[in-house]
Amino acid sequence: MADQIGIYIVIGVILVGVVILFTFVPVALWISAWAAGVKVGIFQLVGMRLRRVIPHRVVNPLIKAVKAGLDISTNKLEGHYLAGGNVDRVVNALIAAQRANIELTFERCAAIDLAGRDVLEAVQMSVNPKVIETPFIAGVAMDGIEVKAKARITVRANIDRLVGGAGEDTVIARVGEGIVSTIGSAKNHAEVLENPDMISQTVLKKGLDAGTAFEILSIDIADIDIGKNIGAGLQTDQAEADKKIAQAKAEERRAMAVAQEQEMKARVEEMRAKVVEAEAEVPLAMSEALRQGNLGVMDYLNFNNVKADTDMRDSIGKATGDGPEDEESTETHPKR
């Protein structure tokens, strides 16, 4: 009985050891690599486990590279994985570059991948150029008419400038700037509509792909349209502004005229006050003349008669009126 229990314990230990072996050591992966002719030792796989590297993330791309005829060491792939790169994408990019006769080393490919760019897409774009479509870009010709143009940019990836090169947004911005400047240099909008390829030719001559990760192959104007009459709108706004300025100046002159009129009225009242003051001095002067004998009593009486006659004439003139009909009646029937 004790011997049977010992046998069971040994069998259990063996089973646990086998389970641990197949769990910690990827034996199936090692068999796959051995069958594919890839030299990967079992201890290398254990070492990957100890370095916290997922073995199949390195071994499967290695098998793919060896089958494609690439000479890549396991240490390079493992180092790229530990650096945070995508090993499978790098190997696929190297295989695609080899098939397309594009010179691309593992170091440059790994650097492009670690820079955050999709190196496989870049290689594919080098073989099959990509078309970038811009939104409608508006420019104003010299005659003030707005012209809107949409362009299609055919670009090819430049492998040598992928690290540190500008992206698609820069290419679109530069092409947009070229379209705006070309439309702005046209004498009128009809010239742009008749010859839209002048835009693409002018933009291509400027070398807008300098410093970018792409090489511009062609720029085609896909659509062109007429927008607003910007020149007429600006002239209308200017005329409206000039009108408001003229109205403000006229209002200023009117206010000055009103102020001057009020000043004249004040001066008239001042003169009237002086007249009343002067008239008030007349009786004093006459009394002084009578007191000193310079004026006689009869002279004083004659003065009063003349004054009374003058007041009577004034009252008669006010009663008859001062209109044209009254003047004609006065001339027809003169006073006696």
Side-chain angles (χ1 to χ4, degrees):
M1 187 68 180
D3 294 337
Q4 291 181 352
I5 295 174
I7 294 172
Y8 291 149
I9 292 174
V10 171
I11 294 174
V13 170
I14 294 174
L15 290 176
V16 171
V18 170
V19 171
I20 293 175
L21 177 65
F22 278 92
T23 302
F24 190 75
V25 180
V27 178
L29 187 62
W30 175 77
I31 295 173
S32 299
W34 178 78
V38 178
K39 296 180 180 180
V40 179
I42 193 70
F43 293 104
Q44 274 186 301
L45 298 177
V46 174
M48 290 182 188
R49 289 286 192 185
L50 295 175
R51 289 187 292 271
R52 296 187 178 182
V53 176
I54 302 176
H56 72 87
R57 294 285 182 88
V58 175
V59 176
N60 288 335
L62 181 61
I63 295 172
K64 192 187 303 182
V66 171
K67 288 298 182 181
L70 299 177
D71 185 13
I72 304 176
S73 65
T74 308
N75 291 331
K76 288 184 178 181
L77 296 179
E78 188 175 350
H80 186 65
Y81 176 84
L82 291 173
N86 191 323
V87 178
D88 189 63
R89 186 164 55 190
V90 169
V91 171
N92 290 336
L94 290 172
I95 295 173
Q98 183 191 38
R99 296 293 186 269
N101 293 326
I102 298 175
E103 185 177 354
L104 182 62
T105 62
F106 175 81
E107 287 73 15
R108 176 169 290 276
C109 190
I112 295 172
D113 183 63
L114 292 176
R117 294 187 180 274
D118 192 339
V119 62
L120 179 59
E121 183 182 357
V123 173
Q124 292 173 348
M125 194 184 300
S126 298
V127 178
N128 185 19
K130 180 181 180 181
V131 177
I132 302 173
E133 185 169 333
T134 66
F136 269 108
I137 301 171
V140 181
M142 290 185 180
D143 58 354
I145 304 298
E146 182 185 34
V147 180
K148 299 179 180 179
K150 179 188 289 186
R152 287 192 177 97
I153 312 165
T154 304
V155 297
R156 180 172 57 197
N158 192 328
I159 302 296
D160 295 332
R161 294 202 300 255
L162 276 177
V163 178
E168 295 183 9
D169 295 337
T170 302
V171 174
I172 294 175
R174 290 182 180 179
V175 172
E177 180 183 358
I179 292 174
V180 171
S181 62
T182 304
I183 296 175
S185 61
K187 294 182 179 179
N188 52 63
H189 67 285
E191 182 179 351
V192 181
L193 295 177
E194 292 173 0
N195 192 16
D197 61 339
M198 64 178 291
I199 300 176
S200 57
Q201 293 175 2
T202 304
V203 173
L204 278 175
K205 292 178 182 178
K206 294 184 177 182
L208 302 179
D209 54 359
T212 65
F214 305 99
E215 178 185 354
I216 297 178
L217 301 178
S218 66
I219 299 176
D220 304 312
I221 302 301
D223 192 8
I224 193 167
D225 197 3
I226 297 297
K228 300 178 181 179
N229 192 337
I230 304 297
L234 293 176
Q235 291 178 358
T236 302
D237 295 340
Q238 184 63 41
E240 185 68 23
D242 293 341
K243 175 185 174 183
K244 291 181 179 180
I245 292 173
Q247 289 177 346
K249 290 182 177 180
E251 183 65 23
E252 181 182 0
R253 290 194 296 269
R254 189 190 69 81
M256 292 179 63
V258 171
Q260 189 174 5
E261 180 184 4
Q262 296 298 326
E263 184 179 356
M264 292 299 104
K265 288 181 179 180
R267 292 183 63 184
V268 167
E269 294 297 330
E270 183 181 358
M271 293 300 104
R272 286 179 180 175
K274 290 183 179 180
V275 169
V276 171
E277 183 180 0
E279 289 178 351
E281 294 179 356
V282 171
L284 297 176
M286 290 181 66
S287 63
E288 185 64 24
L290 287 172
R291 189 178 298 112
Q292 295 180 359
N294 295 329
L295 182 66
V297 176
M298 295 303 296
D299 295 332
Y300 178 73
L301 293 176
N302 291 332
F303 172 75
N304 286 334
N305 290 331
V306 172
K307 183 178 179 182
D309 186 55
T310 302
D311 293 339
M312 180 184 67
R313 290 177 181 273
D314 290 340
S315 62
I316 292 173
K318 292 179 181 179
T320 55
D322 297 328
E325 296 179 355
D326 295 335
E327 291 178 0
E328 292 178 1
S329 63
T330 304
E331 292 177 356
T332 306
H333 304 284
K335 296 181 181 179
R336 297 180 181 176

mmCIF file of all heavy atoms in Angstrom, residues 96-134:
data_model
loop_
_atom_site.group_PDB
_atom_site.id
_atom_site.type_symbol
_atom_site.label_atom_id
_atom_site.label_comp_id
_atom_site.label_asym_id
_atom_site.label_seq_id
_atom_site.Cartn_x
_atom_site.Cartn_y
_atom_site.Cartn_z
ATOM 1 N N ALA A 96 8.336 43.673 -47.313
ATOM 2 C CA ALA A 96 7.738 44.436 -48.413
ATOM 3 C C ALA A 96 8.794 45.260 -49.140
ATOM 4 O O ALA A 96 8.766 45.373 -50.377
ATOM 5 C CB ALA A 96 6.644 45.350 -47.861
ATOM 6 N N ALA A 97 9.746 45.859 -48.388
ATOM 7 C CA ALA A 97 10.809 46.638 -49.026
ATOM 8 C C ALA A 97 11.715 45.741 -49.870
ATOM 9 O O ALA A 97 12.161 46.132 -50.958
ATOM 10 C CB ALA A 97 11.623 47.358 -47.952
ATOM 11 N N GLN A 98 12.001 44.543 -49.383
ATOM 12 C CA GLN A 98 12.828 43.616 -50.162
ATOM 13 C C GLN A 98 12.131 43.217 -51.456
ATOM 14 O O GLN A 98 12.759 43.167 -52.521
ATOM 15 C CB GLN A 98 13.142 42.383 -49.324
ATOM 16 C CG GLN A 98 14.069 41.387 -50.015
ATOM 17 C CD GLN A 98 14.138 40.072 -49.277
ATOM 18 O OE1 GLN A 98 13.123 39.603 -48.753
ATOM 19 N NE2 GLN A 98 15.315 39.458 -49.227
ATOM 20 N N ARG A 99 10.838 42.959 -51.392
ATOM 21 C CA ARG A 99 10.105 42.571 -52.589
ATOM 22 C C ARG A 99 10.006 43.733 -53.600
ATOM 23 O O ARG A 99 9.951 43.506 -54.799
ATOM 24 C CB ARG A 99 8.689 42.116 -52.209
ATOM 25 C CG ARG A 99 8.658 40.860 -51.345
ATOM 26 C CD ARG A 99 9.160 39.638 -52.125
ATOM 27 N NE ARG A 99 9.006 38.411 -51.345
ATOM 28 C CZ ARG A 99 9.914 37.909 -50.540
ATOM 29 N NH1 ARG A 99 11.073 38.533 -50.377
ATOM 30 N NH2 ARG A 99 9.698 36.782 -49.886
ATOM 31 N N ALA A 100 10.003 44.974 -53.096
ATOM 32 C CA ALA A 100 9.896 46.133 -53.986
ATOM 33 C C ALA A 100 11.251 46.714 -54.361
ATOM 34 O O ALA A 100 11.311 47.801 -54.967
ATOM 35 C CB ALA A 100 9.046 47.220 -53.315
ATOM 36 N N ASN A 101 12.343 46.017 -53.993
ATOM 37 C CA ASN A 101 13.705 46.485 -54.297
ATOM 38 C C ASN A 101 13.981 47.866 -53.700
ATOM 39 O O ASN A 101 14.617 48.718 -54.322
ATOM 40 C CB ASN A 101 13.952 46.509 -55.807
ATOM 41 C CG ASN A 101 13.974 45.112 -56.410
ATOM 42 O OD1 ASN A 101 14.429 44.150 -55.764
ATOM 43 N ND2 ASN A 101 13.475 44.986 -57.633
ATOM 44 N N ILE A 102 13.472 48.084 -52.498
ATOM 45 C CA ILE A 102 13.729 49.335 -51.776
ATOM 46 C C ILE A 102 14.778 49.057 -50.721
ATOM 47 O O ILE A 102 14.632 48.127 -49.914
ATOM 48 C CB ILE A 102 12.437 49.875 -51.124
ATOM 49 C CG1 ILE A 102 11.387 50.196 -52.192
ATOM 50 C CG2 ILE A 102 12.732 51.125 -50.299
ATOM 51 C CD1 ILE A 102 10.043 50.613 -51.621
ATOM 52 N N GLU A 103 15.839 49.848 -50.720
ATOM 53 C CA GLU A 103 16.916 49.639 -49.759
ATOM 54 C C GLU A 103 16.477 50.144 -48.381
ATOM 55 O O GLU A 103 16.275 51.342 -48.182
ATOM 56 C CB GLU A 103 18.177 50.377 -50.218
ATOM 57 C CG GLU A 103 19.382 50.106 -49.341
ATOM 58 C CD GLU A 103 20.631 50.795 -49.846
ATOM 59 O OE1 GLU A 103 20.570 51.395 -50.943
ATOM 60 O OE2 GLU A 103 21.654 50.748 -49.132
ATOM 61 N N LEU A 104 16.323 49.243 -47.453
ATOM 62 C CA LEU A 104 15.867 49.591 -46.112
ATOM 63 C C LEU A 104 16.524 48.650 -45.122
ATOM 64 O O LEU A 104 16.347 47.425 -45.190
ATOM 65 C CB LEU A 104 14.339 49.490 -46.023
ATOM 66 C CG LEU A 104 13.697 49.871 -44.690
ATOM 67 C CD1 LEU A 104 13.960 51.327 -44.350
ATOM 68 C CD2 LEU A 104 12.191 49.601 -44.723
ATOM 69 N N THR A 105 17.279 49.198 -44.200
ATOM 70 C CA THR A 105 17.947 48.390 -43.188
ATOM 71 C C THR A 105 17.051 48.213 -41.963
ATOM 72 O O THR A 105 16.077 48.960 -41.774
ATOM 73 C CB THR A 105 19.265 49.054 -42.765
ATOM 74 O OG1 THR A 105 18.978 50.330 -42.174
ATOM 75 C CG2 THR A 105 20.176 49.243 -43.966
ATOM 76 N N PHE A 106 17.409 47.219 -41.150
ATOM 77 C CA PHE A 106 16.623 46.969 -39.948
ATOM 78 C C PHE A 106 16.736 48.144 -38.977
ATOM 79 O O PHE A 106 15.742 48.512 -38.336
ATOM 80 C CB PHE A 106 17.105 45.682 -39.274
ATOM 81 C CG PHE A 106 16.432 45.414 -37.963
ATOM 82 C CD1 PHE A 106 15.168 44.838 -37.908
ATOM 83 C CD2 PHE A 106 17.049 45.755 -36.757
ATOM 84 C CE1 PHE A 106 14.531 44.609 -36.697
ATOM 85 C CE2 PHE A 106 16.420 45.525 -35.542
ATOM 86 C CZ PHE A 106 15.163 44.946 -35.514
ATOM 87 N N GLU A 107 17.918 48.752 -38.868
ATOM 88 C CA GLU A 107 18.102 49.861 -37.938
ATOM 89 C C GLU A 107 17.220 51.047 -38.307
ATOM 90 O O GLU A 107 16.563 51.657 -37.454
ATOM 91 C CB GLU A 107 19.570 50.284 -37.900
ATOM 92 C CG GLU A 107 20.498 49.320 -37.177
ATOM 93 C CD GLU A 107 20.762 48.048 -37.970
ATOM 94 O OE1 GLU A 107 20.465 48.034 -39.191
ATOM 95 O OE2 GLU A 107 21.269 47.063 -37.377
ATOM 96 N N ARG A 108 17.192 51.408 -39.593
ATOM 97 C CA ARG A 108 16.345 52.536 -40.012
ATOM 98 C C ARG A 108 14.869 52.198 -39.853
ATOM 99 O O ARG A 108 14.072 53.024 -39.426
ATOM 100 C CB ARG A 108 16.653 52.919 -41.462
ATOM 101 C CG ARG A 108 15.745 54.026 -41.997
ATOM 102 C CD ARG A 108 16.252 54.563 -43.309
ATOM 103 N NE ARG A 108 17.486 55.320 -43.085
ATOM 104 C CZ ARG A 108 17.503 56.586 -42.705
ATOM 105 N NH1 ARG A 108 16.357 57.222 -42.479
ATOM 106 N NH2 ARG A 108 18.632 57.219 -42.538
ATOM 107 N N CYS A 109 14.518 50.972 -40.185
ATOM 108 C CA CYS A 109 13.121 50.552 -40.052
ATOM 109 C C CYS A 109 12.686 50.597 -38.592
ATOM 110 O O CYS A 109 11.588 51.056 -38.266
ATOM 111 C CB CYS A 109 12.959 49.156 -40.634
ATOM 112 S SG CYS A 109 11.246 48.626 -40.793
ATOM 113 N N ALA A 110 13.563 50.136 -37.696
ATOM 114 C CA ALA A 110 13.242 50.177 -36.268
ATOM 115 C C ALA A 110 13.152 51.615 -35.770
ATOM 116 O O ALA A 110 12.294 51.941 -34.943
ATOM 117 C CB ALA A 110 14.295 49.402 -35.482
ATOM 118 N N ALA A 111 14.031 52.494 -36.271
ATOM 119 C CA ALA A 111 13.987 53.900 -35.852
ATOM 120 C C ALA A 111 12.688 54.560 -36.303
ATOM 121 O O ALA A 111 12.071 55.344 -35.564
ATOM 122 C CB ALA A 111 15.194 54.643 -36.430
ATOM 123 N N ILE A 112 12.240 54.261 -37.517
ATOM 124 C CA ILE A 112 10.978 54.819 -38.011
ATOM 125 C C ILE A 112 9.813 54.324 -37.161
ATOM 126 O O ILE A 112 8.897 55.078 -36.814
ATOM 127 C CB ILE A 112 10.782 54.451 -39.494
ATOM 128 C CG1 ILE A 112 11.854 55.114 -40.356
ATOM 129 C CG2 ILE A 112 9.395 54.865 -39.967
ATOM 130 C CD1 ILE A 112 11.856 54.646 -41.794
ATOM 131 N N ASP A 113 9.853 53.036 -36.790
ATOM 132 C CA ASP A 113 8.774 52.467 -35.977
ATOM 133 C C ASP A 113 8.759 53.085 -34.583
ATOM 134 O O ASP A 113 7.693 53.415 -34.050
ATOM 135 C CB ASP A 113 8.940 50.955 -35.889
ATOM 136 C CG ASP A 113 7.806 50.298 -35.125
ATOM 137 O OD1 ASP A 113 6.653 50.388 -35.583
ATOM 138 O OD2 ASP A 113 8.076 49.730 -34.053
ATOM 139 N N LEU A 114 9.931 53.266 -33.996
ATOM 140 C CA LEU A 114 9.993 53.866 -32.661
ATOM 141 C C LEU A 114 9.640 55.350 -32.693
ATOM 142 O O LEU A 114 9.254 55.916 -31.657
ATOM 143 C CB LEU A 114 11.396 53.675 -32.061
ATOM 144 C CG LEU A 114 11.787 52.227 -31.722
ATOM 145 C CD1 LEU A 114 13.220 52.170 -31.234
ATOM 146 C CD2 LEU A 114 10.836 51.657 -30.673
ATOM 147 N N ALA A 115 9.774 56.000 -33.844
ATOM 148 C CA ALA A 115 9.403 57.411 -33.964
ATOM 149 C C ALA A 115 7.895 57.611 -33.997
ATOM 150 O O ALA A 115 7.422 58.754 -33.970
ATOM 151 C CB ALA A 115 10.030 58.018 -35.217
ATOM 152 N N GLY A 116 7.145 56.515 -34.059
ATOM 153 C CA GLY A 116 5.684 56.622 -34.022
ATOM 154 C C GLY A 116 5.025 56.567 -35.378
ATOM 155 O O GLY A 116 3.799 56.737 -35.474
ATOM 156 N N ARG A 117 5.788 56.345 -36.441
ATOM 157 C CA ARG A 117 5.196 56.258 -37.773
ATOM 158 C C ARG A 117 4.966 54.800 -38.156
ATOM 159 O O ARG A 117 5.692 53.902 -37.712
ATOM 160 C CB ARG A 117 6.103 56.931 -38.809
ATOM 161 C CG ARG A 117 6.233 58.435 -38.616
ATOM 162 C CD ARG A 117 7.009 59.051 -39.762
ATOM 163 N NE ARG A 117 7.161 60.484 -39.617
ATOM 164 C CZ ARG A 117 6.285 61.389 -40.017
ATOM 165 N NH1 ARG A 117 5.171 60.993 -40.603
ATOM 166 N NH2 ARG A 117 6.509 62.680 -39.846
ATOM 167 N N ASP A 118 3.988 54.600 -39.006
ATOM 168 C CA ASP A 118 3.682 53.256 -39.488
ATOM 169 C C ASP A 118 4.637 52.943 -40.644
ATOM 170 O O ASP A 118 4.442 53.388 -41.778
ATOM 171 C CB ASP A 118 2.230 53.187 -39.961
ATOM 172 C CG ASP A 118 1.770 51.761 -40.204
ATOM 173 O OD1 ASP A 118 2.644 50.892 -40.391
ATOM 174 O OD2 ASP A 118 0.554 51.518 -40.225
ATOM 175 N N VAL A 119 5.689 52.203 -40.334
ATOM 176 C CA VAL A 119 6.720 51.952 -41.332
ATOM 177 C C VAL A 119 6.201 51.072 -42.465
ATOM 178 O O VAL A 119 6.599 51.226 -43.633
ATOM 179 C CB VAL A 119 7.962 51.324 -40.652
ATOM 180 C CG1 VAL A 119 7.630 49.996 -40.019
ATOM 181 C CG2 VAL A 119 9.105 51.190 -41.639
ATOM 182 N N LEU A 120 5.289 50.154 -42.164
ATOM 183 C CA LEU A 120 4.722 49.308 -43.221
ATOM 184 C C LEU A 120 3.898 50.147 -44.196
ATOM 185 O O LEU A 120 3.994 49.975 -45.416
ATOM 186 C CB LEU A 120 3.875 48.202 -42.598
ATOM 187 C CG LEU A 120 3.190 47.252 -43.587
ATOM 188 C CD1 LEU A 120 4.226 46.544 -44.469
ATOM 189 C CD2 LEU A 120 2.332 46.236 -42.846
ATOM 190 N N GLU A 121 3.111 51.063 -43.656
ATOM 191 C CA GLU A 121 2.330 51.950 -44.520
ATOM 192 C C GLU A 121 3.250 52.836 -45.362
ATOM 193 O O GLU A 121 2.951 53.130 -46.527
ATOM 194 C CB GLU A 121 1.398 52.816 -43.672
ATOM 195 C CG GLU A 121 0.492 53.736 -44.481
ATOM 196 C CD GLU A 121 -0.368 54.615 -43.596
ATOM 197 O OE1 GLU A 121 -0.297 54.457 -42.362
ATOM 198 O OE2 GLU A 121 -1.094 55.462 -44.149
ATOM 199 N N ALA A 122 4.380 53.268 -44.780
ATOM 200 C CA ALA A 122 5.325 54.094 -45.525
ATOM 201 C C ALA A 122 5.921 53.323 -46.696
ATOM 202 O O ALA A 122 6.061 53.852 -47.807
ATOM 203 C CB ALA A 122 6.421 54.591 -44.599
ATOM 204 N N VAL A 123 6.282 52.060 -46.470
ATOM 205 C CA VAL A 123 6.826 51.242 -47.557
ATOM 206 C C VAL A 123 5.768 51.006 -48.630
ATOM 207 O O VAL A 123 6.053 51.098 -49.837
ATOM 208 C CB VAL A 123 7.361 49.909 -46.994
ATOM 209 C CG1 VAL A 123 7.781 48.974 -48.131
ATOM 210 C CG2 VAL A 123 8.531 50.157 -46.063
ATOM 211 N N GLN A 124 4.562 50.737 -48.202
ATOM 212 C CA GLN A 124 3.482 50.543 -49.170
ATOM 213 C C GLN A 124 3.213 51.823 -49.961
ATOM 214 O O GLN A 124 2.926 51.773 -51.162
ATOM 215 C CB GLN A 124 2.217 50.084 -48.440
ATOM 216 C CG GLN A 124 2.319 48.684 -47.852
ATOM 217 C CD GLN A 124 1.121 48.324 -47.002
ATOM 218 O OE1 GLN A 124 0.297 49.175 -46.653
ATOM 219 N NE2 GLN A 124 0.999 47.042 -46.651
ATOM 220 N N MET A 125 3.322 52.986 -49.288
ATOM 221 C CA MET A 125 3.108 54.247 -49.981
ATOM 222 C C MET A 125 4.246 54.552 -50.954
ATOM 223 O O MET A 125 4.059 55.252 -51.948
ATOM 224 C CB MET A 125 2.967 55.391 -48.968
ATOM 225 C CG MET A 125 2.419 56.675 -49.556
ATOM 226 S SD MET A 125 2.371 58.021 -48.360
ATOM 227 C CE MET A 125 1.277 57.329 -47.115
ATOM 228 N N SER A 126 5.444 54.032 -50.670
ATOM 229 C CA SER A 126 6.540 54.203 -51.616
ATOM 230 C C SER A 126 6.288 53.422 -52.900
ATOM 231 O O SER A 126 6.699 53.843 -53.984
ATOM 232 C CB SER A 126 7.859 53.735 -50.977
ATOM 233 O OG SER A 126 8.166 54.513 -49.836
ATOM 234 N N VAL A 127 5.623 52.289 -52.772
ATOM 235 C CA VAL A 127 5.302 51.475 -53.940
ATOM 236 C C VAL A 127 4.034 51.978 -54.613
ATOM 237 O O VAL A 127 3.968 52.135 -55.840
ATOM 238 C CB VAL A 127 5.161 49.998 -53.539
ATOM 239 C CG1 VAL A 127 4.786 49.146 -54.748
ATOM 240 C CG2 VAL A 127 6.439 49.501 -52.908
ATOM 241 N N ASN A 128 3.014 52.265 -53.815
ATOM 242 C CA ASN A 128 1.723 52.723 -54.329
ATOM 243 C C ASN A 128 1.461 54.126 -53.787
ATOM 244 O O ASN A 128 1.062 54.278 -52.621
ATOM 245 C CB ASN A 128 0.609 51.767 -53.893
ATOM 246 C CG ASN A 128 -0.728 52.133 -54.513
ATOM 247 O OD1 ASN A 128 -0.796 52.845 -55.502
ATOM 248 N ND2 ASN A 128 -1.800 51.625 -53.910
ATOM 249 N N PRO A 129 1.694 55.193 -54.569
ATOM 250 C CA PRO A 129 1.523 56.577 -54.075
ATOM 251 C C PRO A 129 0.114 56.826 -53.545
ATOM 252 O O PRO A 129 -0.863 56.202 -53.970
ATOM 253 C CB PRO A 129 1.828 57.439 -55.299
ATOM 254 C CG PRO A 129 2.693 56.573 -56.167
ATOM 255 C CD PRO A 129 2.190 55.177 -55.954
ATOM 256 N N LYS A 130 0.035 57.754 -52.608
ATOM 257 C CA LYS A 130 -1.232 58.090 -51.960
ATOM 258 C C LYS A 130 -1.748 59.422 -52.490
ATOM 259 O O LYS A 130 -0.967 60.322 -52.813
ATOM 260 C CB LYS A 130 -1.023 58.172 -50.441
ATOM 261 C CG LYS A 130 -2.257 58.518 -49.649
ATOM 262 C CD LYS A 130 -1.932 58.590 -48.161
ATOM 263 C CE LYS A 130 -3.154 58.949 -47.334
ATOM 264 N NZ LYS A 130 -2.845 59.035 -45.887
ATOM 265 N N VAL A 131 -3.061 59.546 -52.568
ATOM 266 C CA VAL A 131 -3.699 60.789 -53.034
ATOM 267 C C VAL A 131 -4.308 61.500 -51.827
ATOM 268 O O VAL A 131 -5.123 60.919 -51.104
ATOM 269 C CB VAL A 131 -4.784 60.514 -54.090
ATOM 270 C CG1 VAL A 131 -5.477 61.809 -54.495
ATOM 271 C CG2 VAL A 131 -4.167 59.844 -55.308
ATOM 272 N N ILE A 132 -3.881 62.744 -51.610
ATOM 273 C CA ILE A 132 -4.402 63.564 -50.515
ATOM 274 C C ILE A 132 -5.291 64.631 -51.127
ATOM 275 O O ILE A 132 -4.862 65.373 -52.024
ATOM 276 C CB ILE A 132 -3.256 64.222 -49.719
ATOM 277 C CG1 ILE A 132 -2.311 63.164 -49.170
ATOM 278 C CG2 ILE A 132 -3.819 65.068 -48.594
ATOM 279 C CD1 ILE A 132 -1.074 63.737 -48.508
ATOM 280 N N GLU A 133 -6.518 64.726 -50.661
ATOM 281 C CA GLU A 133 -7.468 65.713 -51.195
ATOM 282 C C GLU A 133 -7.592 66.865 -50.207
ATOM 283 O O GLU A 133 -7.851 66.665 -49.019
ATOM 284 C CB GLU A 133 -8.829 65.066 -51.434
ATOM 285 C CG GLU A 133 -9.837 66.006 -52.100
ATOM 286 C CD GLU A 133 -11.077 65.280 -52.559
ATOM 287 O OE1 GLU A 133 -10.978 64.061 -52.841
ATOM 288 O OE2 GLU A 133 -12.142 65.915 -52.633
ATOM 289 N N THR A 134 -7.417 68.058 -50.707
ATOM 290 C CA THR A 134 -7.508 69.257 -49.866
ATOM 291 C C THR A 134 -8.958 69.738 -49.813
ATOM 292 O O THR A 134 -9.736 69.459 -50.726
ATOM 293 C CB THR A 134 -6.626 70.382 -50.421
ATOM 294 O OG1 THR A 134 -7.139 70.805 -51.697
ATOM 295 C CG2 THR A 134 -5.198 69.920 -50.583
#
